[in-house]
Amino acid sequence: MEFVNGWQGVAIAAATLSMLLSALVFACGAIFDLRALRVWAKAEFFQAVVSALLIGVLLGASLGLTALASDLAGGQDPIAFADHYLESVNARIESVSGALTLFTMVVHALQEIEVGIEVPPLDVHGKPLAGLDVILHESETTLGLLSWVKLFNEVQRVLFMFISATMMYYFLPVGVVLRGFALTRPVGAFMMAVAVGAYFVLPLTYVFNAAAVEKTHALIDARLEALADFNKQYSVSSLDLLNPAALSAFVATLVTQGVWNLALAAVSPLAKLVADLTVQTTFFPLFNLGVVFLFTRSLYRILASEVVLWN
């Protein structure tokens, strides 16, 4: 029953409709004794048969491809797995954004620390960590970049919702019908190729993405911990400013560490975090789209060609 009500039943119905339309045109040619119309309808009927055969091949291949993708995805539906993968990437982006936001607040607080010497006649005031303004600017820029990356990630999740709802229920059956006629054969072939590539191949690429980045998750977690340690150690808000001992220890840490070491303590794990997430959120999606494009183009050339079953 699931087979009949699913996209498979819709595709079979579309292939049947395509053959019926060609047969109807052939019948009209026979009734009105129009030989040219009969010849054309006969040729188009064979193309509709080819489309039906292609649907049969697709049904068989889809079973094996879905089983393979499900095995690689741990038993999940490939599209559901791709959505779960993108959701996990979003969670890591939010973790990095939260840590980076706290880091920005820490740097801003350190930048505003003012030291003064008031020994008459001297009255000198200054901000020894004002040079952290460069780091502050870079961190704010990175926060903006992460916002766009998260938006791009959400767009991919919405795209999978669109693919799941439309590709095999609208694009494929309409493509099957349109492929049955010479005038609309290129459009039909394109819709069929896009449907197959988007519904089967694209989710499978995300399964491979997840396998490729599985080992980097531990590295990302370690860098998040390093950044959290920095925030905890240098955060002014975590100090008891009314405790002279704690305040003096904090200032002593700043003096002994130095601004350069202070920057490296946070910027190094932060840069690696952003680099890891950039690979996951930009390189992999572009790679996936490239794979789907090449597959779709190759399948389109096959589907758009007119198969001649007789000389």
Side-chain angles (χ1 to χ4, degrees):
M1 190 67 180
E2 181 180 354
F3 181 88
V4 175
N5 293 333
W7 66 264
Q8 299 93 338
V10 177
I12 293 175
T16 304
L17 176 62
S18 179
M19 289 187 290
L20 289 176
L21 289 175
S22 299
L24 180 62
V25 174
F26 183 85
C28 292
I31 292 174
F32 295 102
D33 194 22
L34 300 174
R35 183 177 181 280
L37 186 61
R38 294 199 306 271
V39 171
W40 179 85
K42 183 179 180 181
E44 297 308 319
F45 178 81
F46 277 110
Q47 295 306 315
V49 171
V50 171
S51 297
L53 293 176
L54 291 173
I55 291 298
V57 172
L58 176 61
L59 291 175
S62 67
L63 296 177
L65 189 60
T66 302
L68 172 63
S70 297
D71 291 339
L72 293 174
Q76 297 185 55
D77 176 75
I79 292 183
F81 178 86
D83 182 73
H84 175 72
Y85 165 76
L86 291 172
E87 185 179 4
S88 67
V89 173
N90 266 352
R92 294 186 176 276
I93 293 174
E94 291 172 358
S95 297
V96 174
S97 297
L100 182 57
T101 300
L102 184 55
F103 166 73
T104 303
M105 295 170 62
V106 170
V107 172
H108 183 73
L110 294 176
Q111 181 191 1
E112 296 299 322
I113 292 178
E114 186 173 347
V115 178
I117 300 177
E118 296 183 3
V119 179
L122 295 177
D123 187 4
V124 180
H125 294 268
K127 296 180 180 179
L129 299 180
L132 292 177
D133 182 65
V134 177
I135 300 176
L136 183 63
H137 174 72
E138 293 299 327
S139 64
E140 291 174 345
T141 302
T142 306
L143 271 176
L145 175 63
L146 288 176
S147 298
W148 282 105
V149 167
K150 188 175 186 301
L151 176 63
F152 181 54
N153 221 44
E154 288 293 343
V155 168
Q156 295 177 68
R157 296 186 67 186
V158 174
L159 177 63
F160 273 113
M161 293 175 59
F162 174 79
I163 289 173
S164 178
T166 62
M167 285 298 163
M168 306 306 285
Y169 292 94
Y170 297 99
F171 276 69
L172 181 64
V174 172
V176 170
V177 174
L178 293 180
R179 193 199 171 278
F181 302 96
L183 184 63
T184 57
R185 184 164 297 122
V187 178
F190 176 74
M191 294 183 69
M192 292 176 66
V194 169
V196 174
Y199 193 84
F200 291 107
V201 179
L202 185 60
L204 191 59
T205 61
Y206 281 83
V207 175
F208 285 105
N209 290 165
V213 303
E214 183 177 0
K215 293 185 177 180
T216 66
H217 287 176
L219 296 176
I220 292 178
D221 291 337
R223 289 161 187 166
L224 278 172
E225 291 176 3
L227 193 56
D229 290 340
F230 168 85
N231 289 331
K232 182 178 179 181
Q233 181 178 2
Y234 293 103
S235 177
V236 178
S237 60
S238 65
L239 291 174
D240 182 2
L241 298 180
L242 299 179
N243 186 342
L247 185 58
S248 61
F250 177 76
V251 175
T253 301
L254 292 180
V255 173
T256 56
Q257 288 285 340
V259 176
W260 179 252
N261 292 331
L262 176 70
L264 288 181
V267 172
S268 178
L270 182 60
K272 294 175 181 177
L273 273 171
V274 175
D276 290 335
L277 286 173
T278 300
V279 171
Q280 293 186 37
T281 55
T282 57
F283 173 75
F284 279 152
L286 293 176
F287 173 79
N288 297 343
L289 291 176
V291 171
V292 174
F293 171 76
L294 292 176
F295 174 85
T296 302
R297 186 179 65 172
S298 300
L299 184 60
Y300 167 76
R301 290 177 176 176
I302 296 174
L303 297 176
S305 60
E306 184 169 341
V307 180
V308 179
L309 301 180
W310 73 95
N311 293 325

